[in-house]
Amino acid sequence: MIQGILRKGISGSIIGRAHQAARKGFANSSRSFDTTSVSILSAAALMVTTGAGYIILWNKKQDDGDDDDDTTDVINWSGTHKVTIANKNYWEPESIEDVERIVKDCHKRGQSLRPIGSSLSPNGIALNGNGMISMANMDKVLKIDTEKKTITVEAGIPVRLVVEALRPHNLTLPNLASIAEQQMGGFTQIGAHGTGMAVAPVDEYVTKLKIVTPGRGTIELSKEKDGRLFELARVALGLLGVVVEITMECMSAHLLVEHTFVLTRKEAISRKDQLLKEHKHTRFMWIPYTDAVIVVTNDPIDQDTPHNVSASGTDEEKKKPLTDLLQELCIENGQEFSSDDAKGMGFGELRDTLLAFAPLDVTHVKRCNKAEANFWKSNEGYRTLPSDELLQFDCGGQQWVYEVCFPSGTLENNDNSDTTFMEVLLQKIEEKNIPAHSPIEQRWSCGTSSPMSPAAGTAESLYTWVGVINYLPSDDPQQRKDITKLFNTDYTDLVRHIGRPLKAVSHWAKLEEPTSVWKAVELKSLYLERFPITEFNVARGIYDPNNILSNPLLDLVLGKPIPHDQE
Ligand SMILES: Cc1cc2nc3c(=O)[nH]c(=O)nc-3n(C[C@H](O)[C@H](O)[C@H](O)COP(=O)(O)OP(=O)(O)OC[C@H]3O[C@@H](n4cnc5c(N)ncnc54)[C@H](O)[C@@H]3O)c2cc1C
């Protein structure tokens, strides 16, 4: 039997279509997971189309009838991290009592038990081949308090279902990441963020937690009563216990008007302060090797205010820069081009198909990036939708992503390290001819009171988040290996090097294992400067003294729990 994984590429998804395209000769190779080596389970196998246009199979139990099989492959969304685990060490509780029993037993035996959510994290931070506890079956809404505007849920519920449950009450979540398939446990434990200079990462909106801990059993923590411990537990990477219940602040449901437009780099830099101050949510997408910066702003709009909708032009016209390039590439490579197939592809799929021709060839990448900049120019305009729909967006296909976060002054006085960082980064990418895929995304948040968040700080402090990306547009093993090598050495080294003086640390879900001893040393010294690691490890010593909740990556970065012998 095989336990839950989260993946994309179920038939009918864009991956299915990319296969078709490949068969017809669009690209040199197709893309999908190797479903022979990774089995999929999930009873309630919830298939959903995300904002990104992908179909995701949920991490939830399903009996595949293969009882002889006694191991499970668990893989993250990007297919970049995988562990094989004995089924006897993979638990899927259905109640708090189940969790309590499992945690108690594993604690006694010193058995690894890493909490896993939807396994979306690009670095597979939830994985541990020696033992995992999936929260997918604990997915209920427990209470919606319309007066206090809070929602209490079981930690395994996906964010998307929380948003749906709130809709009839005219409520919504105050902040979202670009997708909503994460479980509330993973979403908050990792400290996910959206964008907006006065909008905190999602953990800041958590008001109560119920956690089953190995060392001290079940504990309930709240903002009012538990101060620092509560704050530490909000972003704890699953290291203080298995979160079973979460209460989060909500806000009234509202519409947002989204404005998408393209600026030059110079314009983006000179208008940044004004854009951040004037708009509730602002993000920049820098396109390497072009002078284009895509700006997307979102602002609440009165339900009754008339508004413009969308740029003019059909979907086909808007995608023309991408489909034209695809046609050119097919001709150049002696491959068959079908305009019907090209028309059927979404934006992300088209980009993957284009890149798949030569994802590491910088001349080719420049052509793809130029087509993407033109695509955005033909997509300038406005649209209005509920906030929980607009704050999600297309993140593209399987990818390596490295996202850093660093302080950028205050809401009042931006110190401009955000744009200086971008200028230097783009200049170095272009000097070194790095085949940097598009976009490099820049977002902002204010500080959160969770000390283990990369954006730990006051509500007046400003943080910027910058994510570089290289897609994995094919399942050709050699191509994936080459992209992986380039990304995890040259590209991320560059970002780290530029970010070091700014104390830029990685998003917890995007922190990869250092590739050398020296890089590990550097990373540890930076993390000691940025996070209260000793304090956190003392808390781990109390709540998980046998270190059953961790994994090798976190042991390397944070060290082990510090034993604590006082009651
Ligand atoms: C396409 C894509 C787009 C993304 N966009 C964004 C974005 O816009 N902003 C952003 O911040 N992030 C983004 N991410 C990262 C993503 O938000 C996080 O990886 C995600 O929130 C993790 O949720 P998960 O349920 O998949 O958790 P997992 O990846 O399974 O786990 C994440 C962490 O949470 C812990 N955990 C999970 N559940 C529990 C629990 N019940 N109790 C204790 N610990 C638990 C795990 O141990 C692990 O440390 C994106 C990822 C992808 C793949």
Side-chain angles (χ1 to χ4, degrees):
M1 194 168 85
I2 319 247
Q3 311 294 345
I5 58 167
L6 179 88
R7 67 184 295 275
K8 61 179 188 153
I10 316 305
S11 64
S13 71
I14 70 156
I15 296 194
R17 293 201 299 273
H19 266 297
Q20 265 180 352
R23 275 201 299 277
K24 286 175 196 296
F26 274 169
N28 297 326
S29 49
S30 59
R31 42 168 305 134
S32 78
F33 284 123
D34 173 1
T35 48
T36 55
S37 64
V38 179
S39 310
I40 304 156
L41 292 195
S42 222
L46 207 45
M47 291 210 284
V48 287
T49 304
T50 69
Y54 294 106
I55 292 184
I56 286 177
L57 179 62
W58 211 283
N59 178 9
K60 207 165 176 179
K61 190 169 181 175
Q62 175 183 333
D63 191 347
D64 63 354
D66 183 6
D67 287 331
D68 296 338
D69 197 356
D70 57 4
T71 61
T72 295
D73 287 343
V74 184
I75 194 165
N76 70 333
W77 180 87
S78 269
T80 48
H81 295 269
K82 182 179 103 170
V83 291
T84 300
I85 183 167
N87 291 340
K88 66 181 174 54
N89 294 335
Y90 189 98
W91 288 268
E92 292 182 297
E94 304 207 338
S95 65
I96 294 185
E97 293 72 31
D98 283 354
V99 179
E100 286 170 336
R101 190 176 35 75
I102 296 162
V103 169
K104 195 172 168 189
D105 177 56
C106 288
H107 173 57
K108 215 160 99 190
R109 294 190 287 123
Q111 158 67 46
S112 290
L113 187 72
R114 180 124 183 88
I116 180 167
S118 295
S119 194
L120 275 166
S121 298
N123 61 351
I125 193 173
L127 300 179
N128 184 341
N130 294 324
M132 283 185 276
I133 180 165
S134 160
M135 298 303 288
N137 291 326
M138 294 184 58
D139 60 355
K140 288 190 239 8
V141 172
L142 300 173
K143 186 176 172 191
I144 296 177
D145 186 329
T146 49
E147 260 177 40
K148 288 191 186 147
K149 291 194 178 162
T150 58
I151 184 165
T152 303
V153 294
E154 289 185 326
I157 188 171
V159 174
R160 183 179 55 81
L161 295 186
V162 174
V163 167
E164 278 172 24
L166 287 170
R167 251 184 220 133
H169 302 276
N170 206 27
L171 291 171
T172 192
L173 291 179
N175 196 3
L176 286 173
S178 55
I179 47 166
E181 307 312 325
Q182 311 93 328
Q183 291 179 12
M184 286 293 278
F187 186 56
T188 52
Q189 282 291 293
I190 213 76
H193 68 97
T195 193
M197 79 166 194
V199 183
V202 300
D203 44 277
E204 181 66 15
Y205 304 98
V206 174
T207 57
K208 277 188 197 157
L209 287 170
K210 188 182 277 189
I211 311 179
V212 180
T213 74
R216 298 290 165 106
T218 302
I219 56 172
E220 292 190 46
L221 302 174
S222 74
K223 198 170 181 167
E224 296 81 37
K225 140 174 108 56
D226 297 291
R228 183 77 172 175
L229 175 59
F230 170 73
E231 289 167 353
L232 275 175
R234 275 194 308 204
V235 177
L237 317 170
L239 293 175
L240 293 186
V242 182
V243 177
V244 285
E245 283 180 20
I246 299 171
T247 301
M248 192 179 248
E249 286 170 27
C250 305
M251 65 191 301
S252 300
H254 56 284
L255 291 174
L256 288 177
V257 61
E258 179 176 271
H259 185 196
T260 302
F261 52 101
V262 183
L263 298 178
T264 62
R265 288 182 186 175
K266 204 167 156 202
E267 287 166 340
I269 289 166
S270 70
R271 288 182 56 188
K272 176 209 58 186
D273 280 354
Q274 172 215 350
L275 287 165
L276 288 185
K277 283 187 177 155
E278 281 179 1
H279 300 285
K280 184 171 179 198
H281 308 277
T282 302
R283 65 187 161 96
F284 284 3
M285 291 185 282
W286 303 77
I287 305 203
Y289 299 104
T290 76
D291 193 23
V293 185
I294 320 310
V295 181
V296 183
T297 63
N298 286 278
D299 291 290
I301 187 169
D302 196 315
Q303 310 266 353
D304 304 325
T305 311
H307 45 265
N308 295 333
V309 177
S310 191
S312 55
T314 62
D315 194 40
E316 207 177 308
E317 284 163 351
K318 291 178 190 169
K319 286 189 307 198
K320 197 167 177 310
L322 303 172
T323 51
D324 280 356
L325 178 58
L326 181 56
Q327 186 167 14
E328 273 171 48
L329 288 167
C330 286
I331 293 167
E332 287 168 23
N333 288 278
Q335 295 187 8
E336 187 192 334
F337 172 78
S338 154
S339 59
D340 282 347
D341 282 344
K343 271 185 225 160
M345 292 186 197
F347 162 60
E349 181 182 13
L350 268 167
R351 178 173 50 202
D352 267 359
T353 309
L354 292 173
L355 283 170
F357 279 88
L360 290 177
D361 174 346
V362 75
T363 311
H364 177 69
V365 170
K366 284 179 190 174
R367 277 174 92 183
C368 295
N369 288 3
K370 190 170 161 206
E372 181 162 341
N374 289 332
F375 163 83
W376 284 109
K377 278 182 195 140
S378 52
N379 276 274
E380 289 186 321
Y382 293 87
R383 57 188 187 137
T384 302
L385 282 169
S387 63
D388 43 57
E389 287 177 47
L390 266 193
L391 293 179
Q392 296 178 52
F393 54 89
D394 186 339
C395 301
Q398 286 191 344
Q399 54 196 247
W400 281 106
V401 51
Y402 179 56
E403 185 181 31
V404 291
C405 171
F406 53 89
S408 295
T410 63
L411 305 197
E412 226 17 72
N413 289 308
N414 183 317
D415 64 15
N416 288 328
S417 53
D418 47 6
T419 40
T420 309
F421 176 89
M422 284 310 308
E423 282 181 297
V424 177
L425 177 61
L426 288 160
Q427 187 201 336
K428 295 280 179 207
I429 285 173
E430 291 163 10
E431 266 172 29
K432 289 172 181 278
N433 269 327
I434 291 182
H437 297 172
S438 173
I440 298 179
E441 194 169 47
Q442 183 164 38
R443 289 181 279 178
W444 288 266
S445 74
C446 65
T448 156
S449 50
S450 307
M452 290 301 289
S453 165
T458 65
E460 289 74 41
S461 52
L462 179 66
Y463 286 81
T464 189
W465 303 74
V466 178
V468 298
I469 199 161
N470 261 156
Y471 299 97
L472 294 159
S474 104
D475 62 1
D476 171 354
Q478 189 57 47
Q479 191 186 76
R480 290 177 78 98
K481 215 168 150 188
D482 293 344
I483 295 171
T484 300
K485 184 161 180 281
L486 169 104
F487 190 79
N488 286 326
T489 52
D490 299 3
Y491 203 0
T492 48
D493 282 355
L494 176 65
V495 179
R496 244 196 326 272
H497 182 70
I498 302 170
R500 183 63 181 88
L502 303 167
K503 300 194 179 167
V505 291
S506 172
H507 184 308
W508 282 113
K510 299 168 189 178
L511 171 71
E512 296 295 337
E513 195 171 321
T515 51
S516 72
V517 175
W518 180 245
K519 284 183 197 168
V521 171
E522 269 188 302
L523 183 124
K524 284 179 92 137
S525 82
L526 171 63
Y527 277 52
L528 280 167
E529 283 178 51
R530 281 284 252 112
F531 298 105
I533 290 183
T534 305
E535 184 185 4
F536 187 60
N537 285 344
V538 168
R540 290 170 69 197
I542 297 169
Y543 294 101
D544 181 23
N546 297 341
N547 200 26
I548 63 169
L549 300 169
S550 188
N551 66 7
L553 173 70
L554 290 170
D555 281 350
L556 177 77
V557 175
L558 300 173
K560 300 267 171 70
I562 297 175
H564 181 89
D565 43 17
Q566 281 175 351
E567 269 310 299

